[in-house]
Amino acid sequence: MTRFVLRYLPLALILLPGLLAGCPEEAITGSGNPKPAVSASSNPNIVGGVSTSSDGAPAVRMVNLTPTGATLNAPAIDGTEPAGLASSRSFEVQVLLSDGSTDSRGVSWSVSDASRLSVEAGEVRVKPGTPAGSYAVTATSIGEPATPQTAIIQVTTDGLLHLEVSPAPDPEARLSVNVVRNGQFVRNQPIEPVSNIRLPAGSGYVAQVQQSGNGGDKLSPLLNFVITPNGVATASVSLQ
């Protein structure tokens, strides 16, 4: 027996590597769980490094709404509004995709209070008689409703002070007006000989017009005027 084993041992050593190479790995290791195959596939929602939606198209990255806010004036109940007090404004929007392109599906528009504001194709309009306050307009991506973008609309009920200064000042002179309401400073601003000054509606206003130049300063007070919502208060001052 010993002589038989010794005689055929070299032949077994020659054949053993070939037999092992043809066996499955689990048969060699004795494990019943084969190792998983290595795959070159990646996240199914990533194609060439670009995020995609479930149908393979580029995903919505962001909604870009401009401007981010605006101040509008509510028209009077009868719908009148003086020139210089805008009650509407257009907003622009882009829906950007993960590959840098623009989503042609666009957005849907909405406002926070449809009884006070309307919006169509990005144009926001304040309805007559709307109270002053903060409102909002929102653009929502049609392709991805989870990415809305909102802009704040400040609605005022302002009016205008139409101010005329006479005589015509020297071209080198500088005109300005100081406005106070009920003892509280409102504003100081440069003006032209004929100016429209936007002010919150109300009473208790006084103002002082100042001319500064080579001929020295000249002052003229303007007392007790009232600003009505969407109204125009007319006043004239003389700087002698």
Side-chain angles (χ1 to χ4, degrees), residues 80-107:
T80 59
E81 53 181 324
L85 295 177
S87 62
S88 65
R89 139 134 241 179
S90 292
F91 287 78
E92 296 182 358
V93 67
Q94 280 187 320
V95 181
L96 302 179
L97 299 176
S98 56
D99 65 353
S101 64
T102 301
D103 191 350
S104 60
R105 291 170 294 182
V107 300

mmCIF file of all heavy atoms in Angstrom, residues 80-107:
data_model
loop_
_atom_site.group_PDB
_atom_site.id
_atom_site.type_symbol
_atom_site.label_atom_id
_atom_site.label_comp_id
_atom_site.label_asym_id
_atom_site.label_seq_id
_atom_site.Cartn_x
_atom_site.Cartn_y
_atom_site.Cartn_z
ATOM 1 N N THR A 80 -59.125 104.170 -8.929
ATOM 2 C CA THR A 80 -58.214 105.232 -9.352
ATOM 3 C C THR A 80 -56.871 105.113 -8.638
ATOM 4 O O THR A 80 -56.794 104.687 -7.487
ATOM 5 C CB THR A 80 -58.820 106.620 -9.065
ATOM 6 O OG1 THR A 80 -59.072 106.730 -7.654
ATOM 7 C CG2 THR A 80 -60.114 106.808 -9.831
ATOM 8 N N GLU A 81 -55.844 105.487 -9.335
ATOM 9 C CA GLU A 81 -54.504 105.538 -8.750
ATOM 10 C C GLU A 81 -53.702 106.603 -9.480
ATOM 11 O O GLU A 81 -53.658 106.622 -10.703
ATOM 12 C CB GLU A 81 -53.810 104.184 -8.848
ATOM 13 C CG GLU A 81 -53.770 103.599 -10.244
ATOM 14 C CD GLU A 81 -53.090 102.242 -10.255
ATOM 15 O OE1 GLU A 81 -52.137 102.045 -9.495
ATOM 16 O OE2 GLU A 81 -53.511 101.376 -11.035
ATOM 17 N N PRO A 82 -53.080 107.516 -8.743
ATOM 18 C CA PRO A 82 -52.326 108.588 -9.406
ATOM 19 C C PRO A 82 -51.045 108.059 -10.027
ATOM 20 O O PRO A 82 -50.514 107.023 -9.617
ATOM 21 C CB PRO A 82 -52.027 109.557 -8.253
ATOM 22 C CG PRO A 82 -52.051 108.697 -7.032
ATOM 23 C CD PRO A 82 -53.071 107.645 -7.285
ATOM 24 N N ALA A 83 -50.578 108.773 -11.037
ATOM 25 C CA ALA A 83 -49.317 108.405 -11.661
ATOM 26 C C ALA A 83 -48.200 108.435 -10.625
ATOM 27 O O ALA A 83 -48.146 109.325 -9.784
ATOM 28 C CB ALA A 83 -49.008 109.364 -12.806
ATOM 29 N N GLY A 84 -47.335 107.449 -10.692
ATOM 30 C CA GLY A 84 -46.236 107.382 -9.736
ATOM 31 C C GLY A 84 -46.473 106.402 -8.615
ATOM 32 O O GLY A 84 -45.559 106.124 -7.837
ATOM 33 N N LEU A 85 -47.697 105.869 -8.512
ATOM 34 C CA LEU A 85 -48.003 104.872 -7.493
ATOM 35 C C LEU A 85 -48.429 103.589 -8.203
ATOM 36 O O LEU A 85 -49.580 103.439 -8.597
ATOM 37 C CB LEU A 85 -49.115 105.362 -6.554
ATOM 38 C CG LEU A 85 -48.772 106.586 -5.694
ATOM 39 C CD1 LEU A 85 -49.979 107.017 -4.879
ATOM 40 C CD2 LEU A 85 -47.591 106.298 -4.780
ATOM 41 N N ALA A 86 -47.512 102.666 -8.364
ATOM 42 C CA ALA A 86 -47.777 101.439 -9.123
ATOM 43 C C ALA A 86 -48.547 100.436 -8.274
ATOM 44 O O ALA A 86 -48.218 100.199 -7.106
ATOM 45 C CB ALA A 86 -46.475 100.820 -9.591
ATOM 46 N N SER A 87 -49.579 99.847 -8.867
ATOM 47 C CA SER A 87 -50.345 98.810 -8.183
ATOM 48 C C SER A 87 -50.097 97.430 -8.781
ATOM 49 O O SER A 87 -50.726 96.452 -8.366
ATOM 50 C CB SER A 87 -51.844 99.124 -8.254
ATOM 51 O OG SER A 87 -52.283 99.140 -9.602
ATOM 52 N N SER A 88 -49.182 97.333 -9.740
ATOM 53 C CA SER A 88 -48.886 96.037 -10.346
ATOM 54 C C SER A 88 -47.407 95.949 -10.657
ATOM 55 O O SER A 88 -46.716 96.975 -10.764
ATOM 56 C CB SER A 88 -49.698 95.820 -11.626
ATOM 57 O OG SER A 88 -49.328 96.758 -12.619
ATOM 58 N N ARG A 89 -46.943 94.725 -10.804
ATOM 59 C CA ARG A 89 -45.527 94.498 -11.116
ATOM 60 C C ARG A 89 -45.370 93.102 -11.661
ATOM 61 O O ARG A 89 -46.043 92.176 -11.247
ATOM 62 C CB ARG A 89 -44.721 94.735 -9.869
ATOM 63 C CG ARG A 89 -43.630 93.803 -9.625
ATOM 64 C CD ARG A 89 -42.371 94.548 -9.230
ATOM 65 N NE ARG A 89 -41.267 94.350 -10.148
ATOM 66 C CZ ARG A 89 -40.097 94.928 -10.000
ATOM 67 N NH1 ARG A 89 -39.899 95.786 -9.051
ATOM 68 N NH2 ARG A 89 -39.106 94.708 -10.820
ATOM 69 N N SER A 90 -44.463 92.947 -12.624
ATOM 70 C CA SER A 90 -44.182 91.642 -13.221
ATOM 71 C C SER A 90 -42.973 90.996 -12.538
ATOM 72 O O SER A 90 -41.981 91.678 -12.248
ATOM 73 C CB SER A 90 -43.913 91.773 -14.720
ATOM 74 O OG SER A 90 -45.089 92.143 -15.408
ATOM 75 N N PHE A 91 -43.099 89.706 -12.295
ATOM 76 C CA PHE A 91 -42.011 88.910 -11.733
ATOM 77 C C PHE A 91 -41.512 87.941 -12.800
ATOM 78 O O PHE A 91 -42.275 87.442 -13.615
ATOM 79 C CB PHE A 91 -42.481 88.138 -10.497
ATOM 80 C CG PHE A 91 -42.685 88.990 -9.294
ATOM 81 C CD1 PHE A 91 -43.833 89.764 -9.161
ATOM 82 C CD2 PHE A 91 -41.737 89.051 -8.291
ATOM 83 C CE1 PHE A 91 -44.030 90.569 -8.054
ATOM 84 C CE2 PHE A 91 -41.920 89.845 -7.169
ATOM 85 C CZ PHE A 91 -43.068 90.612 -7.052
ATOM 86 N N GLU A 92 -40.208 87.699 -12.774
ATOM 87 C CA GLU A 92 -39.599 86.766 -13.712
ATOM 88 C C GLU A 92 -39.159 85.514 -12.958
ATOM 89 O O GLU A 92 -38.765 85.591 -11.787
ATOM 90 C CB GLU A 92 -38.396 87.404 -14.408
ATOM 91 C CG GLU A 92 -38.774 88.589 -15.286
ATOM 92 C CD GLU A 92 -37.574 89.173 -16.013
ATOM 93 O OE1 GLU A 92 -36.451 88.668 -15.784
ATOM 94 O OE2 GLU A 92 -37.767 90.124 -16.786
ATOM 95 N N VAL A 93 -39.229 84.372 -13.645
ATOM 96 C CA VAL A 93 -38.887 83.107 -12.992
ATOM 97 C C VAL A 93 -38.166 82.191 -13.963
ATOM 98 O O VAL A 93 -38.432 82.207 -15.169
ATOM 99 C CB VAL A 93 -40.162 82.419 -12.435
ATOM 100 C CG1 VAL A 93 -41.074 81.964 -13.558
ATOM 101 C CG2 VAL A 93 -39.802 81.265 -11.515
ATOM 102 N N GLN A 94 -37.221 81.428 -13.435
ATOM 103 C CA GLN A 94 -36.537 80.378 -14.178
ATOM 104 C C GLN A 94 -36.513 79.116 -13.320
ATOM 105 O O GLN A 94 -36.254 79.201 -12.108
ATOM 106 C CB GLN A 94 -35.094 80.762 -14.515
ATOM 107 C CG GLN A 94 -34.935 81.684 -15.702
ATOM 108 C CD GLN A 94 -33.477 81.872 -16.057
ATOM 109 O OE1 GLN A 94 -32.626 81.993 -15.186
ATOM 110 N NE2 GLN A 94 -33.176 81.903 -17.333
ATOM 111 N N VAL A 95 -36.810 77.994 -13.934
ATOM 112 C CA VAL A 95 -36.690 76.703 -13.260
ATOM 113 C C VAL A 95 -35.432 76.044 -13.800
ATOM 114 O O VAL A 95 -35.374 75.673 -14.975
ATOM 115 C CB VAL A 95 -37.920 75.814 -13.502
ATOM 116 C CG1 VAL A 95 -37.758 74.485 -12.769
ATOM 117 C CG2 VAL A 95 -39.188 76.520 -13.036
ATOM 118 N N LEU A 96 -34.408 75.932 -12.958
ATOM 119 C CA LEU A 96 -33.118 75.404 -13.385
ATOM 120 C C LEU A 96 -33.026 73.918 -13.089
ATOM 121 O O LEU A 96 -33.388 73.470 -11.993
ATOM 122 C CB LEU A 96 -31.988 76.154 -12.676
ATOM 123 C CG LEU A 96 -31.974 77.670 -12.908
ATOM 124 C CD1 LEU A 96 -30.832 78.308 -12.127
ATOM 125 C CD2 LEU A 96 -31.843 77.989 -14.392
ATOM 126 N N LEU A 97 -32.537 73.159 -14.063
ATOM 127 C CA LEU A 97 -32.379 71.719 -13.922
ATOM 128 C C LEU A 97 -30.957 71.367 -13.502
ATOM 129 O O LEU A 97 -30.049 72.202 -13.574
ATOM 130 C CB LEU A 97 -32.723 71.025 -15.240
ATOM 131 C CG LEU A 97 -34.163 71.231 -15.732
ATOM 132 C CD1 LEU A 97 -34.351 70.579 -17.101
ATOM 133 C CD2 LEU A 97 -35.173 70.667 -14.736
ATOM 134 N N SER A 98 -30.774 70.128 -13.071
ATOM 135 C CA SER A 98 -29.481 69.702 -12.548
ATOM 136 C C SER A 98 -28.389 69.686 -13.605
ATOM 137 O O SER A 98 -27.208 69.692 -13.266
ATOM 138 C CB SER A 98 -29.617 68.314 -11.920
ATOM 139 O OG SER A 98 -30.142 67.384 -12.860
ATOM 140 N N ASP A 99 -28.749 69.676 -14.898
ATOM 141 C CA ASP A 99 -27.727 69.714 -15.944
ATOM 142 C C ASP A 99 -27.441 71.132 -16.425
ATOM 143 O O ASP A 99 -26.717 71.332 -17.400
ATOM 144 C CB ASP A 99 -28.142 68.830 -17.125
ATOM 145 C CG ASP A 99 -29.399 69.347 -17.832
ATOM 146 O OD1 ASP A 99 -30.016 70.305 -17.322
ATOM 147 O OD2 ASP A 99 -29.766 68.784 -18.877
ATOM 148 N N GLY A 100 -28.020 72.144 -15.741
ATOM 149 C CA GLY A 100 -27.776 73.539 -16.085
ATOM 150 C C GLY A 100 -28.759 74.132 -17.073
ATOM 151 O O GLY A 100 -28.716 75.333 -17.324
ATOM 152 N N SER A 101 -29.643 73.329 -17.626
ATOM 153 C CA SER A 101 -30.625 73.835 -18.581
ATOM 154 C C SER A 101 -31.854 74.372 -17.849
ATOM 155 O O SER A 101 -31.971 74.265 -16.624
ATOM 156 C CB SER A 101 -31.025 72.734 -19.562
ATOM 157 O OG SER A 101 -31.684 71.673 -18.884
ATOM 158 N N THR A 102 -32.785 74.962 -18.600
ATOM 159 C CA THR A 102 -34.013 75.529 -18.043
ATOM 160 C C THR A 102 -35.193 74.605 -18.352
ATOM 161 O O THR A 102 -35.340 74.119 -19.473
ATOM 162 C CB THR A 102 -34.282 76.919 -18.637
ATOM 163 O OG1 THR A 102 -33.170 77.767 -18.344
ATOM 164 C CG2 THR A 102 -35.539 77.538 -18.030
ATOM 165 N N ASP A 103 -36.022 74.374 -17.336
ATOM 166 C CA ASP A 103 -37.181 73.494 -17.493
ATOM 167 C C ASP A 103 -38.285 74.231 -18.255
ATOM 168 O O ASP A 103 -38.830 75.230 -17.781
ATOM 169 C CB ASP A 103 -37.689 73.064 -16.115
ATOM 170 C CG ASP A 103 -38.724 71.949 -16.195
ATOM 171 O OD1 ASP A 103 -39.186 71.646 -17.313
ATOM 172 O OD2 ASP A 103 -39.059 71.382 -15.150
ATOM 173 N N SER A 104 -38.625 73.749 -19.433
ATOM 174 C CA SER A 104 -39.630 74.410 -20.270
ATOM 175 C C SER A 104 -41.044 74.244 -19.724
ATOM 176 O O SER A 104 -41.964 74.926 -20.168
ATOM 177 C CB SER A 104 -39.559 73.859 -21.698
ATOM 178 O OG SER A 104 -39.814 72.463 -21.711
ATOM 179 N N ARG A 105 -41.221 73.361 -18.760
ATOM 180 C CA ARG A 105 -42.559 73.170 -18.186
ATOM 181 C C ARG A 105 -42.988 74.366 -17.346
ATOM 182 O O ARG A 105 -44.172 74.562 -17.100
ATOM 183 C CB ARG A 105 -42.599 71.884 -17.351
ATOM 184 C CG ARG A 105 -42.483 70.616 -18.171
ATOM 185 C CD ARG A 105 -42.296 69.400 -17.297
ATOM 186 N NE ARG A 105 -41.027 69.421 -16.580
ATOM 187 C CZ ARG A 105 -40.604 68.442 -15.781
ATOM 188 N NH1 ARG A 105 -41.372 67.374 -15.591
ATOM 189 N NH2 ARG A 105 -39.427 68.525 -15.178
ATOM 190 N N GLY A 106 -42.033 75.168 -16.873
ATOM 191 C CA GLY A 106 -42.358 76.408 -16.171
ATOM 192 C C GLY A 106 -42.911 76.206 -14.777
ATOM 193 O O GLY A 106 -42.597 75.221 -14.098
ATOM 194 N N VAL A 107 -43.766 77.152 -14.350
ATOM 195 C CA VAL A 107 -44.272 77.174 -12.975
ATOM 196 C C VAL A 107 -45.771 77.437 -12.964
ATOM 197 O O VAL A 107 -46.356 77.879 -13.952
ATOM 198 C CB VAL A 107 -43.568 78.269 -12.138
ATOM 199 C CG1 VAL A 107 -42.073 78.036 -12.071
ATOM 200 C CG2 VAL A 107 -43.872 79.656 -12.694
#
